[in-house]
């Protein structure tokens, strides 16, 4: 622990003397380098901050504030942010500015009466900062909102001179609001403007369609007629020709060119030129043109009877046909002249093409199921008694089979089996 303790005072001098001074020189050199590096970094950071704040600084606003101080106090605060900071840093000129405003504002806010504007001429830093604080309180009482006031360090340390200039301009705006009887600066104050409309004025707006919905206050189609010319200028409608009212414009479909006017009926010829309809032959009214399906060529006219009748192109009288053909159905509709199911009596009966009476058939065929439906004439499961039993095609009694099986296996029934199944011993 003693070895780690750093020698102080005389001990440090002796140790440095014993070691030849090499260690102390090295330590001091390292500390100097560290200190200079910290100063460089802090200076670099402050330079970056000054650059950011300098970008917000407005020279025109500074000139306006400088001119206002010259008019009211006959004092020059200088040009440039650093010069303005140096002249306003003690807060004396700021308090003198408020004193001038309080004196020249007869209707100042009531909160201003509670503020005693007395500055301190001491060069002590805390006294100068008290002057700045007093200015901020007086400006707030004069009407400047809290969010428009700068911080004390913004002026005293020069951190944000743009905010200092903005606060002074806001003080000039409030001086305009309360009718200060001297020169002012800053923008004009925003006054509340409330408009009261009468009932008649509000009712007039009911007939107006706003621009959002499509206004009715500009050029419209008012005065438009079908076929009439639309006049943008103010031309009286009675100056227009009355003949134009019978015309349909091309936009709506004109009535001035070729149309179907004069068409008499289907099949009539359409005439483009003006030909009177009474010059046509009346017989053409009974003709159907090819466009609608003509009636002048071969048709089904003259067809009689029913399905199966012969269609005659030439003029042949229908009374020359045989009446027997009326009971025939042609092949096109399904003829009734060949073999059919006529005479079928029931399922399984034989179909006879020739004319054979059904009572001549064998009655035994009625009990047979044909191969088409699955016949009942061959091997089946008839005689099966239970699952696993042997299927016998021929007619053999089950008792005889059981006796044969007992003999082959050499099985002798017991007394109990003979009592339960007495038929097996017979």
């Amino acid at each position: 622990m003693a070895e780690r303790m750093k020698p102080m005072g005389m001990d440090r001098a002796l140790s440095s003397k014993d070691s030849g001074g090499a260690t102390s020189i090295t330590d001091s050199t390292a500390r100097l380098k560290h200190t200079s590096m910290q100063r460089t970094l802090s200076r670099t950071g402050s330079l970056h901050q000054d650059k950011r704040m300098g970008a917000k600084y407005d020279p025109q606003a500074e000139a306006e504030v400088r001119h206002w101080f010259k008019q009211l106090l006959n004092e020059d605060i200088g040009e440039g942010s650093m010069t303005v900071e140096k002249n306003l840093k003690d807060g004396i000129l700021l308090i003198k500015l408020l004193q001038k405003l309080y004196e020249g504002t007869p209707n100042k806010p009531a909160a201003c009466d509670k503020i005693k504007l007395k500055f301190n001429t001491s060069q002590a830093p805390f006294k100068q900062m008290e002057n700045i604080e007093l200015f901020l309180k007086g400006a707030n009482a004069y009407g400047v909102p809290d969010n428009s006031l700068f911080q004390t360090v913004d002026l005293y340390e020069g951190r944000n001179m743009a905010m200092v200039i903005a606060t002074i301009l806001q003080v000039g705006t409030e001086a305009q609001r309360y009718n200060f009887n001297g020169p002012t600066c800053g923008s004009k104050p925003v006054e509340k403007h409330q408009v009261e409309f009468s009932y008649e004025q509000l009712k007039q707006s009911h007939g107006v369609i706003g621009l959002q919905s499509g206004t009715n206050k500009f050029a419209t189609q008012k005065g438009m007629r079908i076929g009439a010319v639309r006049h943008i200028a103010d031309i009286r409608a009675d100056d227009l020709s009355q003949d134009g009212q019978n015309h349909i414009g091309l936009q709506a479909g004109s009535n001035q060119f070729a149309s179907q006017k004069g068409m008499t009926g289907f099949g009539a010829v359409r005439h483009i030129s003006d030909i009177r309809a009474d010059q046509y032959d009346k017989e053409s009214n009974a003709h159907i043109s090819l466009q609608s399906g003509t009636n002048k060529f071969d048709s089904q006219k003259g067809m009689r009877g029913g399905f199966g009748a012969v269609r005659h192109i030439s003029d042949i009288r229908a009374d020359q046909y045989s009446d027997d053909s009326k009971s025939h159905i042609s092949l096109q509709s399904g003829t009734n002249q060949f073999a059919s199911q006529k005479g079928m009596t029931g399922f399984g009966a034989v179909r006879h093409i020739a004319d054979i009476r059904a009572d001549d058939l064998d009655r035994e065929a009625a009990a047979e199921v044909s191969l088409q439906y699955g016949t009942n004439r061959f091997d089946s499961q008839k005689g099966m008694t239970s699952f696993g039993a042997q299927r016998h095609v021929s007619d053999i009694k089950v008792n005889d089979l059981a006796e044969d099986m007992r003999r082959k296996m050499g099985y002798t029934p017991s007394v109990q089996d003979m009592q339960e199944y007495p038929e097996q011993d017979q």
Side-chain angles (χ1 to χ4, degrees):
M1 187 68 182
E3 295 177 357
R4 293 186 179 182
M5 292 179 62
K6 184 181 294 184
M8 299 299 293
M10 186 60 68
D11 295 334
R12 181 177 181 181
L14 292 174
S15 62
S16 61
K17 186 176 181 180
D18 295 337
S19 59
T23 306
S24 60
I25 293 174
T26 305
D27 294 340
S28 60
T29 304
R31 285 195 299 270
L32 288 175
K33 288 183 178 180
H34 180 69
T35 305
S36 62
M37 187 178 296
Q38 286 183 342
R39 290 178 180 176
T40 304
L41 292 175
S42 62
R43 191 180 299 111
T44 305
S46 61
L47 288 176
H48 287 297
Q49 185 177 3
D50 292 341
K51 288 182 179 180
R52 290 195 300 268
M53 293 303 175
K56 299 180 181 179
Y57 194 79
D58 189 3
Q60 295 182 357
E62 176 203 308
E64 186 177 359
V65 171
R66 186 173 65 252
H67 182 66
W68 192 35
F69 272 89
K70 189 69 175 178
Q71 288 179 328
L72 285 180
L73 305 177
N74 197 19
E75 295 283 349
D76 189 9
I77 62 175
E79 185 177 357
S81 61
M82 297 182 66
T83 306
V84 173
E85 174 195 349
K86 181 180 179 180
N87 294 327
L88 299 180
K89 183 178 181 180
D90 56 0
I92 296 176
L93 292 181
L94 295 176
I95 295 178
K96 286 182 179 181
L97 177 65
L98 281 184
Q99 289 175 350
K100 201 72 174 179
L101 293 177
Y102 279 17
E103 292 174 0
T105 307
N107 57 343
K108 62 181 179 294
C112 295
D113 298 333
K114 301 179 182 180
I115 304 298
K116 296 181 180 180
L117 297 176
K118 291 183 180 181
F119 55 86
N120 197 315
T121 58
S122 175
Q123 297 298 320
F126 67 93
K127 291 297 182 180
Q128 294 179 353
M129 296 177 70
E130 285 180 358
N131 291 338
I132 298 175
E133 287 288 344
L134 183 59
F135 167 76
L136 295 175
K137 291 180 181 179
N140 191 11
Y142 197 65
V144 180
D146 294 334
N147 56 1
S148 297
L149 296 174
F150 62 87
Q151 301 294 324
T152 304
V153 292
D154 292 340
L155 174 58
Y156 192 79
E157 297 180 3
R159 293 184 179 181
N160 192 354
M161 290 303 298
M163 189 64 186
V164 174
I165 298 297
T167 302
I168 298 174
L169 290 176
Q170 187 65 31
V171 173
T173 301
E174 297 301 325
Q176 299 178 46
R177 189 190 308 276
Y178 295 109
N179 299 322
F180 174 64
N181 55 8
T184 58
C185 70
S187 60
K188 293 183 179 181
V190 179
E191 301 290 344
K192 184 178 180 181
H193 181 67
Q194 187 174 0
V195 181
E196 297 291 341
F197 294 98
S198 62
Y199 176 75
E200 289 75 12
Q201 291 175 333
L202 294 175
K203 193 173 181 180
Q204 289 177 1
S205 65
H206 294 171
V208 179
I209 300 176
L211 289 173
Q212 187 175 5
S213 303
T215 181
N216 59 352
K217 304 306 291 182
F218 302 106
T220 63
Q221 292 181 345
K222 185 178 180 180
M224 262 316 261
R225 295 186 180 183
I226 305 296
V229 182
R230 180 179 177 183
H231 299 278
I232 305 299
D234 189 5
I235 303 176
R236 296 183 56 181
D238 50 7
D239 295 340
L240 301 177
S241 176
Q242 299 295 328
D243 297 337
Q245 298 181 2
N246 297 325
H247 295 173
I248 299 176
L250 290 174
Q251 186 176 4
S254 177
N255 61 349
Q256 296 302 308
F257 302 105
S259 65
Q260 293 182 346
K261 184 178 179 180
M263 286 291 284
T264 56
F266 291 102
V269 182
R270 179 180 177 182
H271 298 277
I272 304 301
S273 59
D274 190 5
I275 302 176
R276 295 183 58 178
D278 52 7
Q279 297 178 2
Y280 291 100
D281 188 0
K282 298 297 184 181
E283 295 181 357
S284 65
N285 294 339
H287 295 173
I288 299 175
S289 65
L290 289 173
Q291 185 176 3
S292 303
T294 182
N295 60 350
K296 302 305 292 180
F297 301 104
D298 295 337
S299 65
Q300 293 181 347
K301 184 177 180 180
M303 284 292 286
R304 291 189 180 181
F307 292 100
V310 182
R311 178 178 177 183
H312 298 277
I313 304 301
S314 59
D315 190 5
I316 302 177
R317 295 184 59 178
D319 52 5
Q320 297 177 2
Y321 291 100
S322 174
D323 292 335
D324 297 337
S325 64
K326 296 181 179 180
S327 61
H328 294 175
I329 300 176
S330 64
L331 289 173
Q332 185 176 3
S333 304
T335 182
N336 61 350
Q337 296 300 310
F338 302 105
S340 65
Q341 293 180 349
K342 184 178 180 181
M344 285 292 286
T345 56
F347 292 103
V350 182
R351 179 178 179 183
H352 300 277
I353 303 301
D355 190 6
I356 302 176
R357 293 183 60 180
D359 50 6
D360 295 338
L361 300 178
D362 188 0
R363 293 297 183 182
E364 294 180 358
E368 294 181 0
V369 180
S370 65
L371 290 173
Q372 186 176 1
Y373 294 98
T375 182
N376 60 350
R377 303 304 298 171
F378 302 104
D379 295 338
S380 66
Q381 291 181 348
K382 185 177 180 183
M384 284 292 284
T385 57
S386 62
F387 290 101
Q390 187 176 357
R391 178 178 178 182
H392 299 277
V393 178
S394 59
D395 190 6
I396 303 174
K397 291 182 68 176
V398 178
N399 292 338
D400 297 338
L401 292 176
E403 186 66 24
D404 294 338
M405 291 294 295
R406 191 185 342 179
R407 292 173 183 174
K408 291 179 181 180
M409 296 174 62
Y411 172 73
T412 304
S414 61
V415 178
Q416 184 178 0
D417 292 338
M418 295 176 63
Q419 291 176 359
E420 291 180 0
Y421 305 101
E423 296 179 358
Q424 296 180 1
D425 298 333
Q426 295 178 1

